[in-house]
Amino acid sequence: MRIIVCLKQVPDTNEVRINQETGTLIRDGVPSIMNPDDKNALEEALKIKDECGAELIAVSMGPPQAKDVLKEALAMGADEGVLISDRAFGGSDTWATATIISAAIEKIGNYDIVFCGRQAIDGDTAQVGPEIAEFLNVPQVTYVKDVKVKGDKLEVVRYTEYGEYVFEASTPVLLTAIKELNNPRYPAIKGIIEAYGDKGEEKIRVFGINDLNVDPTQIGLKGSPTNVYKSFVPVKNKVSEIIEGKSSKDKAITIVMKLSELNLI
Ligand SMILES: Cc1cc2nc3c(=O)[nH]c(=O)nc-3n(C[C@H](O)[C@H](O)[C@H](O)COP(=O)(O)OP(=O)(O)OC[C@H]3O[C@@H](n4cnc5c(N)ncnc54)[C@H](O)[C@@H]3O)c2cc1C
């Protein structure tokens, strides 16, 4: 079995700041991490590898520093990394990003499962996984909270606010992981030493625009069908009030009176 896991390097969200004049993210000095849902996708792929044997290839599209998430994946147990990086890819929206990542996946070839996270904590659209599935023309199951390999098929549990759905999926298939899927492992010391040394470097291939079968008019800022009109952090203007009272009943009465004064009940 061959599993490809898509990992996005994202800024640590607690640290995200926006340049109020340009509306762009301030990335300087902001620590980067592997997108949390992607770590769950990676962990599940590693579990399948541990239980059934599989070749696991981690893929990330981004600037050269995105290699760090691939090294982290190697340290956790991935066999190989592919960094998709080229100036021509800059400014890509989700459509163009998925176009480029699916071209890379097609170049890697012979995959059984493509694993993505449900959503990236910076872009937050949850579009890239489903778009990759469409471009590759493979079925998809999103919001996955459990996967079992059953012969040449998968039993996949999809979690929604209304309940759980159990699907039987044939491969190749694209799955998007949610945090309920598992608890990602910590890499072993040996894995860390190898991944961040020469061995790790040798295991990472870099794909640029000339390596991929993509139409240059469909990628980058110019090839993106959507554009960001404005980015801003919403101003928080919530005012909290602690309701005092001798008993719960007194407090409840006060709350009801206040809500009634505001015509809310
Ligand atoms: C007009 C426009 C211009 C943009 N310009 C830039 C820019 O210049 N620089 C920039 O950094 N961003 C830019 N973006 C944002 C960029 O398009 C998104 O970050 C990217 O498409 C991923 O979307 P998302 O974050 O919503 O991911 P989601 O759709 O929420 O991610 C779902 C899953 O897809 C996979 N995935 C997503 N992105 C990647 C990736 N890069 N590598 C591997 N796996 C991935 C992961 O498994 C992830 O969990 C731009 C967006 C628009 C609309």
Side-chain angles (χ1 to χ4, degrees):
M1 183 175 304
R2 192 178 230 201
I3 308 175
I4 296 176
V5 188
C6 298
L7 306 173
K8 186 178 182 193
Q9 189 183 49
V10 294
D12 207 339
T13 36
N14 293 336
E15 309 270 349
V16 163
R17 287 166 297 139
I18 290 178
N19 180 326
Q20 296 301 332
E21 278 171 23
T22 60
T24 55
L25 282 184
I26 301 169
R27 290 177 192 266
D28 288 348
V30 179
S32 293
I33 54 168
M34 184 187 296
N35 182 52
D37 284 348
D38 303 2
K39 209 176 239 191
N40 295 105
L42 175 62
E43 172 61 30
E44 202 60 22
L46 287 165
K47 278 168 70 183
I48 295 173
K49 181 182 167 182
D50 292 345
E51 284 160 25
C52 312
E55 186 189 359
L56 203 166
I57 302 166
V59 167
S60 188
M61 174 177 146
Q65 58 267 31
K67 213 183 235 189
D68 286 349
V69 291
L70 297 176
K71 289 188 177 170
E72 192 179 344
L74 292 176
M76 286 171 73
D79 298 293
E80 206 188 305
V82 172
L83 174 68
I84 312 164
S85 193
D86 198 301
R87 283 203 169 272
F89 302 154
S92 292
D93 68 357
T94 62
W95 173 275
T97 300
T99 301
I100 297 162
I101 295 177
S102 22
I105 291 171
E106 263 165 356
K107 186 179 166 82
I108 295 166
N110 289 330
Y111 53 89
D112 298 288
I113 304 174
V114 176
F115 239 127
C116 289
R118 175 198 54 159
Q119 196 161 345
I121 57 172
D122 55 349
D124 238 5
T125 65
Q127 292 174 2
V128 171
E131 284 170 344
I132 293 174
E134 288 300 313
F135 291 144
L136 293 174
N137 198 20
V138 298
Q140 58 179 289
V141 184
T142 54
Y143 291 73
V144 168
K145 69 162 277 197
D146 193 34
V147 182
K148 285 191 182 68
V149 178
K150 300 256 166 132
D152 60 352
K153 293 206 164 38
L154 303 177
E155 188 181 280
V156 183
V157 179
R158 180 174 197 264
Y159 181 76
T160 74
E161 58 188 297
Y162 307 109
E164 294 180 0
Y165 298 78
V166 182
F167 291 98
E168 183 186 81
S170 48
T171 57
V173 65
L174 182 141
L175 309 174
T176 76
I178 56 173
K179 68 176 188 319
E180 288 78 5
L181 183 57
N182 53 43
N183 291 313
R185 67 193 66 187
Y186 289 103
I189 297 287
K190 186 169 174 273
I192 295 174
I193 293 170
E194 281 191 10
Y196 290 90
D198 292 344
K199 263 196 183 170
E201 209 55 52
E202 282 164 19
K203 287 182 179 174
I204 298 176
R205 285 185 283 167
V206 181
F207 291 173
I209 187 161
N210 295 327
D211 300 303
L212 301 179
N213 183 19
V214 285
D215 176 351
T217 65
Q218 299 292 306
I219 58 163
L221 196 56
K222 285 197 179 144
S224 294
T226 59
N227 59 68
V228 179
Y229 171 65
K230 190 179 176 187
S231 305
F232 62 96
V233 178
V235 180
K236 287 188 186 151
N237 52 8
K238 260 196 274 177
V239 182
S240 306
E241 185 185 344
I242 308 275
I243 304 293
E244 306 288 353
K246 281 187 191 140
S247 65
S248 302
K249 193 177 171 189
D250 284 351
K251 291 178 198 171
I253 290 169
T254 311
I255 291 171
V256 169
M257 281 166 58
K258 280 182 181 285
L259 292 176
S260 175
E261 276 165 23
L262 293 168
N263 292 322
L264 291 173
I265 53 173

Short mmCIF file of all heavy atoms in Angstrom, two decimals, residues 27-55:
data_model
loop_
_atom_site.label_atom_id
_atom_site.label_comp_id
_atom_site.label_asym_id
_atom_site.label_seq_id
_atom_site.Cartn_x
_atom_site.Cartn_y
_atom_site.Cartn_z
N ARG A 27 4.32 37.41 8.87
CA ARG A 27 4.92 36.10 9.07
C ARG A 27 6.29 36.18 9.75
O ARG A 27 6.77 35.19 10.27
CB ARG A 27 5.08 35.37 7.73
CG ARG A 27 3.74 34.95 7.16
CD ARG A 27 3.89 34.31 5.81
NE ARG A 27 2.60 34.17 5.16
CZ ARG A 27 1.84 33.08 5.21
NH1 ARG A 27 2.24 32.03 5.87
NH2 ARG A 27 0.68 33.04 4.60
N ASP A 28 6.91 37.39 9.71
CA ASP A 28 8.26 37.52 10.27
C ASP A 28 8.25 37.22 11.76
O ASP A 28 7.46 37.79 12.51
CB ASP A 28 8.80 38.95 10.06
CG ASP A 28 9.15 39.18 8.60
OD1 ASP A 28 9.17 38.19 7.85
OD2 ASP A 28 9.36 40.35 8.24
N GLY A 29 9.15 36.33 12.16
CA GLY A 29 9.30 36.02 13.58
C GLY A 29 8.17 35.18 14.14
O GLY A 29 8.10 34.96 15.35
N VAL A 30 7.23 34.74 13.30
CA VAL A 30 6.11 33.92 13.80
C VAL A 30 6.49 32.45 13.68
O VAL A 30 6.87 32.00 12.60
CB VAL A 30 4.83 34.18 12.98
CG1 VAL A 30 3.69 33.31 13.48
CG2 VAL A 30 4.45 35.65 13.04
N PRO A 31 6.43 31.70 14.78
CA PRO A 31 6.80 30.28 14.69
C PRO A 31 5.83 29.51 13.81
O PRO A 31 4.64 29.84 13.74
CB PRO A 31 6.72 29.79 16.14
CG PRO A 31 6.01 30.82 16.90
CD PRO A 31 6.02 32.10 16.12
N SER A 32 6.35 28.52 13.09
CA SER A 32 5.51 27.70 12.22
C SER A 32 5.38 26.30 12.78
O SER A 32 6.30 25.79 13.42
CB SER A 32 6.14 27.61 10.83
OG SER A 32 6.12 28.86 10.22
N ILE A 33 4.25 25.68 12.51
CA ILE A 33 4.00 24.31 12.98
C ILE A 33 3.35 23.50 11.86
O ILE A 33 2.89 24.06 10.88
CB ILE A 33 3.06 24.30 14.22
CG1 ILE A 33 1.75 25.07 13.91
CG2 ILE A 33 3.74 24.86 15.44
CD1 ILE A 33 0.65 24.86 14.95
N MET A 34 3.31 22.17 12.06
CA MET A 34 2.55 21.33 11.14
C MET A 34 1.07 21.54 11.47
O MET A 34 0.69 21.52 12.64
CB MET A 34 2.93 19.85 11.37
CG MET A 34 2.26 18.90 10.39
SD MET A 34 2.54 17.15 10.79
CE MET A 34 4.29 16.96 10.60
N ASN A 35 0.25 21.77 10.45
CA ASN A 35 -1.18 21.98 10.69
C ASN A 35 -1.75 20.83 11.54
O ASN A 35 -1.51 19.66 11.22
CB ASN A 35 -1.90 22.07 9.35
CG ASN A 35 -3.37 22.34 9.52
OD1 ASN A 35 -3.76 23.28 10.20
ND2 ASN A 35 -4.19 21.48 8.93
N PRO A 36 -2.44 21.13 12.63
CA PRO A 36 -2.86 20.07 13.56
C PRO A 36 -3.64 18.91 12.94
O PRO A 36 -3.33 17.74 13.19
CB PRO A 36 -3.69 20.81 14.60
CG PRO A 36 -3.18 22.21 14.55
CD PRO A 36 -2.77 22.48 13.14
N ASP A 37 -4.65 19.19 12.10
CA ASP A 37 -5.41 18.08 11.48
C ASP A 37 -4.49 17.21 10.62
O ASP A 37 -4.72 16.00 10.48
CB ASP A 37 -6.53 18.62 10.58
CG ASP A 37 -7.73 19.15 11.37
OD1 ASP A 37 -7.79 18.90 12.59
OD2 ASP A 37 -8.59 19.81 10.76
N ASP A 38 -3.48 17.83 10.03
CA ASP A 38 -2.57 17.07 9.15
C ASP A 38 -1.75 16.08 9.97
O ASP A 38 -1.38 15.01 9.49
CB ASP A 38 -1.63 18.01 8.39
CG ASP A 38 -2.40 19.05 7.58
OD1 ASP A 38 -3.64 19.03 7.64
OD2 ASP A 38 -1.77 19.85 6.90
N LYS A 39 -1.45 16.49 11.21
CA LYS A 39 -0.70 15.57 12.09
C LYS A 39 -1.56 14.34 12.40
O LYS A 39 -1.05 13.23 12.49
CB LYS A 39 -0.32 16.30 13.39
CG LYS A 39 0.95 15.77 13.98
CD LYS A 39 1.37 16.55 15.18
CE LYS A 39 2.75 17.14 14.98
NZ LYS A 39 3.34 17.70 16.19
N ASN A 40 -2.88 14.54 12.54
CA ASN A 40 -3.76 13.38 12.74
C ASN A 40 -3.78 12.50 11.50
O ASN A 40 -3.80 11.27 11.59
CB ASN A 40 -5.19 13.84 13.08
CG ASN A 40 -5.27 14.57 14.40
OD1 ASN A 40 -5.39 15.79 14.43
ND2 ASN A 40 -5.15 13.86 15.50
N ALA A 41 -3.77 13.14 10.32
CA ALA A 41 -3.74 12.37 9.06
C ALA A 41 -2.45 11.56 9.00
O ALA A 41 -2.47 10.36 8.68
CB ALA A 41 -3.83 13.31 7.87
N LEU A 42 -1.35 12.19 9.36
CA LEU A 42 -0.05 11.51 9.34
C LEU A 42 -0.03 10.35 10.33
O LEU A 42 0.42 9.24 10.01
CB LEU A 42 1.05 12.54 9.67
CG LEU A 42 2.47 12.01 9.81
CD1 LEU A 42 2.95 11.39 8.49
CD2 LEU A 42 3.43 13.14 10.20
N GLU A 43 -0.54 10.60 11.53
CA GLU A 43 -0.57 9.53 12.55
C GLU A 43 -1.36 8.32 12.05
O GLU A 43 -0.95 7.18 12.23
CB GLU A 43 -1.15 10.07 13.86
CG GLU A 43 -1.40 9.03 14.94
CD GLU A 43 -0.15 8.29 15.39
OE1 GLU A 43 0.95 8.86 15.35
OE2 GLU A 43 -0.28 7.10 15.76
N GLU A 44 -2.51 8.58 11.41
CA GLU A 44 -3.34 7.46 10.96
C GLU A 44 -2.62 6.69 9.86
O GLU A 44 -2.67 5.45 9.82
CB GLU A 44 -4.69 7.98 10.45
CG GLU A 44 -5.80 6.96 10.46
CD GLU A 44 -6.10 6.38 11.85
OE1 GLU A 44 -5.79 7.01 12.89
OE2 GLU A 44 -6.64 5.25 11.88
N ALA A 45 -1.93 7.41 8.99
CA ALA A 45 -1.16 6.74 7.93
C ALA A 45 -0.05 5.89 8.57
O ALA A 45 0.22 4.77 8.13
CB ALA A 45 -0.57 7.78 6.99
N LEU A 46 0.57 6.43 9.61
CA LEU A 46 1.64 5.67 10.30
C LEU A 46 1.07 4.42 10.97
O LEU A 46 1.70 3.36 10.97
CB LEU A 46 2.32 6.56 11.36
CG LEU A 46 3.24 7.66 10.80
CD1 LEU A 46 3.57 8.69 11.87
CD2 LEU A 46 4.52 7.06 10.24
N LYS A 47 -0.15 4.55 11.53
CA LYS A 47 -0.77 3.38 12.16
C LYS A 47 -1.04 2.29 11.11
O LYS A 47 -0.81 1.10 11.36
CB LYS A 47 -2.09 3.79 12.86
CG LYS A 47 -1.83 4.38 14.24
CD LYS A 47 -3.03 5.05 14.83
CE LYS A 47 -4.13 4.10 15.25
NZ LYS A 47 -5.29 4.87 15.76
N ILE A 48 -1.53 2.72 9.94
CA ILE A 48 -1.78 1.74 8.87
C ILE A 48 -0.46 1.10 8.45
O ILE A 48 -0.37 -0.11 8.25
CB ILE A 48 -2.49 2.42 7.66
CG1 ILE A 48 -3.88 2.90 8.08
CG2 ILE A 48 -2.58 1.47 6.47
CD1 ILE A 48 -4.61 3.75 7.04
N LYS A 49 0.59 1.93 8.38
CA LYS A 49 1.92 1.40 8.02
C LYS A 49 2.37 0.37 9.07
O LYS A 49 2.85 -0.71 8.73
CB LYS A 49 2.91 2.57 7.94
CG LYS A 49 4.32 2.14 7.56
CD LYS A 49 5.27 3.32 7.53
CE LYS A 49 6.70 2.79 7.48
NZ LYS A 49 7.71 3.82 7.50
N ASP A 50 2.19 0.71 10.36
CA ASP A 50 2.60 -0.21 11.43
C ASP A 50 1.82 -1.52 11.35
O ASP A 50 2.39 -2.59 11.57
CB ASP A 50 2.33 0.42 12.82
CG ASP A 50 3.23 1.62 13.08
OD1 ASP A 50 4.23 1.78 12.36
OD2 ASP A 50 2.90 2.40 14.00
N GLU A 51 0.52 -1.42 11.07
CA GLU A 51 -0.34 -2.62 11.14
C GLU A 51 -0.31 -3.46 9.87
O GLU A 51 -0.34 -4.68 9.93
CB GLU A 51 -1.79 -2.20 11.45
CG GLU A 51 -1.97 -1.82 12.91
CD GLU A 51 -3.21 -0.97 13.15
OE1 GLU A 51 -4.16 -1.03 12.35
OE2 GLU A 51 -3.21 -0.20 14.15
N CYS A 52 -0.25 -2.80 8.71
CA CYS A 52 -0.40 -3.55 7.44
C CYS A 52 0.82 -3.44 6.54
O CYS A 52 0.87 -4.11 5.51
CB CYS A 52 -1.60 -3.04 6.64
SG CYS A 52 -3.08 -2.87 7.60
N GLY A 53 1.73 -2.56 6.89
CA GLY A 53 2.86 -2.31 5.99
C GLY A 53 2.42 -1.34 4.90
O GLY A 53 1.40 -1.56 4.25
N ALA A 54 3.13 -0.27 4.74
CA ALA A 54 2.77 0.71 3.71
C ALA A 54 3.97 1.62 3.48
O ALA A 54 4.83 1.77 4.37
CB ALA A 54 1.57 1.55 4.14
N GLU A 55 4.02 2.19 2.29
CA GLU A 55 5.04 3.21 2.00
C GLU A 55 4.36 4.55 2.21
O GLU A 55 3.26 4.77 1.68
CB GLU A 55 5.50 3.04 0.55
CG GLU A 55 6.64 3.95 0.19
CD GLU A 55 6.91 3.91 -1.32
OE1 GLU A 55 6.23 3.17 -2.06
OE2 GLU A 55 7.81 4.66 -1.73
#
